[in-house]
Amino acid sequence: GLGALAGLGLLTKVLFPLAVLGPVALTLRERRASWAELERPLKVIAAVGAAVALTWYGPNLVYIAGYTVRASAGDIAAQYAVRSPFHPLALLGYWKAMAHDGFSYAFVLMLAGALWALGAERVRSEPGLRFALAWLVPPLLVASLGQRKELRFAAAGLPGAALALAGALDLLTRGKPARPLLFAAAVAAVVALSPSRTVYGGPPARDGRWEQEALVAEVAAMVKGGAVVAIGAEHLFLNANILTAEAVRTRAPQAYVNYGHMQSQVEAAVARLSDKEATHILFVYGLPAEVSPSIVAVDARLKALVAAGKLPFQSVGRLAWAPGGLSAELFERTGPIKMPGAAAR
């Protein structure tokens, strides 16, 4: 069971082991079992996990290795290198963002207050709290110290935070007559004060900025079922995640993909169009300056390649969608995708 869980976890995120290693290491340390006792079950867990994970990691190993290098020390990492990842302001900024968008301020204050009320000695003496914190701390620490400092990298540790809060509240309210009421109030506060969407994901913002719903509806009327639409916009109000969420909500017949996270190479973007079997490209014009410069550059090169007839996409037409000076044009694929001068993919 644990092996299958580990394999499935790796299929969802390569950093999944960070959430597993802490609790497993703590459990093994506290059991004080000999290697002879642990060797066989650990080998079975590793074998089952590898068998499940390699169904995807095996065929994609070259891509994973290349992306890992680029994201940790290459062109993608360079776009995040405003300051040292260990700079106090960088760490403070990440923790503030995690408190707001990852947990919610209400949750963080409640967890910190509950642990403080228990005291360090009580926390260390409770097996359940030790286990929960061993689940939470490693992913959060690694994500905090990384160059990119993305909130999603710590996501696998969030259940540990929930268990820690539940355990701390259980200990603080044990034996108190108002215990059910206190738990209900804690849950209500976290739910009411937590954000309903992430910064670059979830449904479009409620105030209707950029009329994303209208954009998805108009594209839906221009494509057939099963369409995969590539879009280069990586903006808070307009990106592939937000448009896909809206398409799912309205049951539109298309999905959206980006050119690749922080993509700066047009060759890699073309390869991604092929790998994702993109049937269309949605070019957006008039995006503001805060869109990633690398994405803007790649988008411009793709537009030039399409305009020159070097990529097999033909205009379906301009969209009526035009909020705040923006405009868009949809292109449909007419043949196999290949980078000019390269073999067809």
Side-chain angles (χ1 to χ4, degrees), residues 16-41:
F16 177 81
L18 287 175
V20 176
L21 289 177
V24 170
L26 178 67
T27 302
L28 294 178
R29 177 177 177 275
E30 295 188 347
R31 280 194 59 188
R32 302 186 184 279
S34 66
W35 173 248
E37 182 184 353
L38 297 174
E39 181 178 8
R40 186 176 182 280

Side-chain angles (χ1 to χ4, degrees), residues 32-124:
R32 302 186 184 279
S34 66
W35 173 248
E37 182 184 353
L38 297 174
E39 181 178 8
R40 186 176 182 280
L42 287 178
K43 285 182 176 179
V44 170
I45 291 171
V48 173
V52 173
L54 285 173
T55 57
W56 184 83
Y57 283 92
N60 294 280
L61 187 59
V62 174
Y63 168 79
I64 296 167
Y67 184 84
T68 300
V69 172
R70 293 178 58 213
S72 59
D75 58 309
I76 294 177
Q79 298 186 54
Y80 291 86
V82 177
R83 54 170 63 96
S84 166
F86 308 109
H87 193 284
L89 290 178
L91 294 172
L92 183 62
Y94 178 79
W95 294 333
K96 181 180 178 182
M98 176 59 75
H100 181 266
D101 295 317
F103 298 103
S104 83
Y105 289 140
F107 183 96
V108 171
L109 290 174
M110 204 173 300
L111 177 58
L115 294 177
W116 178 81
L118 287 171
E121 192 62 36
R122 182 81 181 277
V123 170
R124 285 197 297 268

Side-chain angles (χ1 to χ4, degrees), residues 152-179:
R152 60 193 177 95
F153 289 170
L158 298 189
L163 290 175
L165 178 58
L169 290 177
D170 175 62
L171 292 170
L172 288 171
T173 60
R174 190 171 295 174
K176 291 181 170 57
R179 176 184 172 93

Side-chain angles (χ1 to χ4, degrees), residues 197-205 209-210 212 231-243 258 262 284 286-293 295-296 321 326:
R197 67 190 303 279
T198 60
V199 176
Y200 275 79
R209 287 172 289 195
W210 292 15
Q212 302 96 329
I231 180 170
E234 287 289 350
H235 188 275
L236 176 64
F237 305 145
L238 190 67
N239 58 67
N241 290 337
I242 285 177
L243 295 183
N258 59 20
M262 300 297 287
V284 179
L287 288 167
E290 62 260 31
V291 174
S292 168
I295 293 293
V296 171
W321 174 83
L326 298 175

Side-chain angles (χ1 to χ4, degrees), residues 271-289:
R272 182 170 171 84
L273 294 181
S274 178
D275 291 339
K276 294 296 183 179
E277 299 182 348
T279 58
H280 296 76
I281 300 179
L282 181 65
F283 287 132
V284 179
Y285 305 90
L287 288 167

Side-chain angles (χ1 to χ4, degrees), residues 131-215:
F131 183 89
L133 293 174
W135 188 340
L136 167 64
V137 172
L140 188 59
L141 182 62
V142 171
S144 298
L145 299 178
Q147 179 70 64
R148 294 170 62 179
K149 296 195 182 332
E150 291 203 36
L151 303 186
R152 60 193 177 95
F153 289 170
L158 298 189
L163 290 175
L165 178 58
L169 290 177
D170 175 62
L171 292 170
L172 288 171
T173 60
R174 190 171 295 174
K176 291 181 170 57
R179 176 184 172 93
L181 184 60
L182 291 170
F183 262 93
V187 171
V190 170
V191 171
L193 299 175
S194 295
S196 61
R197 67 190 303 279
T198 60
V199 176
Y200 275 79
R206 292 294 181 188
D207 56 7
R209 287 172 289 195
W210 292 15
E211 301 174 14
Q212 302 96 329
E213 298 93 333
L215 173 61

